[in-house]
């Protein structure tokens, strides 16, 4: 980078526009986030590219992707710009008041049992902090996408991340409605699932069909079930299972009320697969903002009380 560029005034608006597009991989979504038109946003990014002399984005009519230069700029400038914007907000806040933004990526299974109780208390305690909650079941590079943290099962969190437990160990279980079990019978072994109608889970990251995982002792099974519905949304599958259409593979904490009411019953319980729990994770080398530090404190407080 030339010395003249370093001495010139920083094109902060254009840089912030690029960062929003880079995080979202979409001009339309970034324009909504920034409250400007997509055309104005595109113009700001083009001006930044012209000033730098390198392309930052590869655009097609259907997608937006980062170039190598764009990826480097996103990773290096993103955290600094966020800190600068939060510092501006903090300058106008009352003494001791926490302001800013917390950006989180969370899976759908965590909403009812983990995320909502934390958010309710956090919003009451820190009303000047905005939480940008992105509900997505794919694996997310929180650094590249400019997020403060994510929530995922322990087994898939990268080991160089700081990890904070938010839940106890839990099970994935097979369930069925009484009407289905009366009509089709109750499977006794994992292999029996191949002769039953099962609600198939589509993996959000690949679109592939998920093979149900079961275990007993040291033995494990991956059963390639088949059935009338393939979907990624748990709510749809629960409704189908309660209606007696087919068996379902479920995150147990979210269906406990239905088990208590008797609209669903556990099947193959001795083979239920255990998971270590859900964890909040963030980069170990990250400079934690006051807003995220406050969120982390509330998350730990709520988790300790529930434990």
């Amino acid at each position: 980078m030339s010395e003249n560029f370093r001495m010139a005034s920083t094109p902060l608006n254009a840089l912030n526009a690029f960062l929003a597009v880079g995080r979202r991989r979409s001009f339309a979504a970034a324009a909504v986030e920034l409250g400007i038109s997509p055309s104005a946003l595109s113009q700001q990014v083009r001006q930044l590219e012209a000033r730098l002399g390198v392309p930052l984005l590869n655009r097609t009519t259907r997608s937006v992707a980062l170039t190598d230069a764009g990826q480097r700029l996103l990773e290096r400038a993103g955290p600094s710009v966020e800190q600068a914007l939060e510092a501006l907000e903090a300058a106008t806040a009352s003494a001791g008041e926490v302001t800013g933004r917390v950006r989180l990526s969370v899976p759908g299974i965590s909403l009812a049992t983990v995320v909502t109780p934390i958010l309710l208390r956090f919003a009451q305690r820190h009303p000047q902090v905005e939480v940008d909650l992105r509900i997505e079941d794919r694996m997310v590079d929180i650094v590249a996408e400019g997020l403060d943290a994510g929530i995922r099962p322990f087994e898939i969190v990268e080991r160089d991340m700081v990890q904070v437990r938010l839940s106890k160990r839990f099970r994935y279980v097979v369930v069925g409605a009484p009407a289905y079990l009366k009509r089709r019978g109750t499977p006794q072994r994992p292999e029996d699932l191949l002769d039953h109608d099962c609600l198939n889970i589509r993996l959000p990251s690949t679109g592939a069909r998920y093979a149900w995982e079961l275990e007993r002792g040291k033995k494990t099974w991956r059963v390639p079930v088949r059935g009338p519905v393939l979907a990624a949304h748990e709510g749809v599958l629960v409704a189908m299972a309660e209606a007696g259409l087919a068996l379902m593979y479920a995150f147990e904490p979210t269906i406990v009320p239905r088990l208590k009411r008797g609209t669903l019953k556990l099947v193959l319980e001795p083979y239920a697969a255990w998971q270590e729990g859900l964890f909040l994770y963030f980069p170990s080398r990250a400079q934690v903002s006051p807003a995220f530090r406050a969120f982390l404190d509330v998350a730990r407080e709520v988790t300790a009380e529930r434990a």
Side-chain angles (χ1 to χ4, degrees):
M1 185 180 294
S2 72
E3 212 44 49
N4 287 338
F5 186 86
R6 289 182 183 275
M7 296 294 290
S9 60
T10 303
L12 186 57
N13 287 343
L15 178 57
N16 193 41
F18 159 73
L19 294 173
V21 176
R23 287 193 301 265
R24 299 284 191 172
R25 302 296 197 274
S26 164
F27 276 91
V32 171
E33 176 184 329
L34 297 175
I36 61 176
S37 69
S39 60
L41 179 62
S42 179
Q43 183 178 7
Q44 287 186 357
V45 173
R46 291 188 184 282
Q47 288 172 348
L48 180 62
E49 289 177 318
R51 182 166 188 150
L52 293 174
V54 294
L56 301 173
L57 299 168
N58 288 320
R59 308 162 177 81
T60 70
T61 56
R62 307 183 70 172
S63 65
V64 175
L66 291 163
T67 64
D68 289 343
Q71 183 67 43
R72 290 194 299 271
L73 184 58
L74 177 66
E75 291 176 358
R76 297 186 64 179
S80 298
V81 171
E82 287 301 322
Q83 290 175 20
L85 293 174
E86 288 171 0
L88 291 172
E89 291 181 359
T92 61
S94 302
E97 185 179 53
V98 180
T99 63
R101 235 166 251 97
V102 176
R103 294 181 171 86
L104 302 172
S105 170
V106 307
I109 61 171
S110 70
L111 290 174
T113 59
V114 172
V115 175
T116 299
I118 295 172
L119 283 184
L120 286 172
R121 183 171 302 181
F122 182 75
Q124 291 166 355
R125 189 171 296 175
H126 301 289
Q128 298 304 314
V129 178
E130 178 186 73
V131 178
D132 181 352
L133 194 65
R134 305 182 187 181
I135 303 166
E136 46 200 357
D137 294 316
R138 65 185 178 90
M139 280 305 299
V140 175
D141 185 337
I142 59 174
V143 175
E145 299 196 22
L147 304 176
D148 293 291
I151 295 176
R152 292 293 182 273
F154 173 81
E155 289 78 3
I156 59 176
V157 175
E158 296 175 359
R159 295 299 177 255
D160 62 345
M161 293 282 176
V162 177
Q163 301 174 48
V164 178
R165 178 182 286 277
L166 297 182
S167 80
K168 300 177 182 178
R169 296 178 75 225
F170 58 82
R171 301 188 300 180
Y172 281 102
V173 295
V174 180
V175 296
Y180 176 88
L181 299 176
K182 182 178 180 179
R183 185 175 76 250
R184 296 292 306 275
T186 302
Q188 301 300 316
R189 301 175 304 161
E191 296 86 349
D192 295 344
L193 292 171
L194 297 173
D195 297 322
H196 280 264
D197 291 330
C198 299
L199 297 167
N200 292 279
I201 303 167
R202 184 190 300 280
L203 294 172
S205 55
T206 64
R209 190 186 306 263
Y210 175 71
W212 291 7
E213 297 180 70
L214 297 104
E215 62 186 40
R216 190 169 190 176
K218 295 184 178 180
K219 188 172 182 180
T220 61
W221 290 260
R222 289 179 59 84
V223 186
V225 298
R226 291 291 184 269
V229 176
L230 172 64
H233 192 281
E234 186 183 48
V236 172
L237 299 179
V238 170
M240 297 285 184
E242 281 193 297
L245 182 66
L247 299 175
M248 178 187 176
Y249 189 79
F251 175 57
E252 187 176 22
T254 64
I255 60 163
V256 166
R258 293 173 173 85
L259 295 175
K260 290 181 177 178
R261 291 197 300 268
T263 58
L264 290 174
K265 292 184 176 297
L266 291 174
V267 176
L268 296 170
E269 186 175 7
Y271 299 91
W274 282 93
Q275 297 289 326
E276 188 58 34
L278 291 170
F279 286 73
L280 181 76
Y281 67 97
F282 54 95
S284 59
R285 295 182 297 275
Q287 286 189 313
V288 176
S289 69
F292 179 64
R293 172 58 62 189
F295 181 86
L296 187 57
D297 290 342
V298 171
R300 285 177 166 144
E301 179 182 299
V302 171
T303 302
E305 290 175 5
R306 291 165 60 90

